[in-house]
Amino acid sequence: MGADVHEMSLTQSVVDAVCEHAAGRHVHSVTLEVGALCAVVPDAMAFCFELATEGTVAAGARLELDLRPGVAHCRTCAADFELDDPILLCPCGSADVDVLGGRDLRILSMEVS
């Protein structure tokens, strides 16, 4: 149940921002960029979005997720590599890495009328 609390909290923040930006207009769809390192379960987020939008200008809106891999740089071998999960480990085996991207959760677009 812990993951649901994480998704619900993130989703509620997104819905609050979407409704504020919609300024009373009806929201038809929302597209989010979600980094792999956000540890978001897409199905759980879709479910939470449906719950969080009930009774708002975004009720019934479609949620589209643009999932992006994480990107990191290894200080041991100097390679840049993609991360598909929060395990920060270079293919060379080193854990001495800098995360360059993949922690973002951004509203890319929304369709309103």
Side-chain angles (χ1 to χ4, degrees):
M1 212 49 190
D4 292 346
V5 172
H6 174 68
E7 273 86 2
M8 194 65 211
S9 173
L10 288 174
T11 306
Q12 188 63 58
S13 298
V14 167
V15 170
D16 290 348
V18 162
C19 291
E20 186 178 324
H21 190 74
R25 297 170 293 176
H26 182 73
V27 179
H28 300 283
S29 70
V30 176
T31 302
L32 293 182
E33 176 182 308
V34 181
L37 305 183
C38 288
V40 165
V41 178
D43 289 346
M45 184 165 242
F47 176 75
C48 292
F49 184 79
E50 199 174 307
L51 289 178
T53 56
E54 280 180 16
T56 72
V57 294
R62 187 176 69 252
L63 176 65
E64 295 177 16
L65 300 179
D66 181 3
L67 302 172
R68 301 286 175 97
V71 181
H73 176 78
C74 180
R75 288 189 284 250
T76 302
C77 75
D80 288 341
F81 60 98
E82 288 190 352
L83 297 161
D84 293 320
D85 56 47
I87 298 169
L88 306 178
L89 201 60
C90 179
C92 82
S94 174
D96 188 15
V97 301
D98 287 320
V99 174
L100 305 175
R103 290 188 170 131
D104 300 334
L105 179 66
R106 294 188 308 178
I107 299 169
L108 291 180
S109 65
M110 51 191 267
E111 183 185 331
V112 298
S113 67

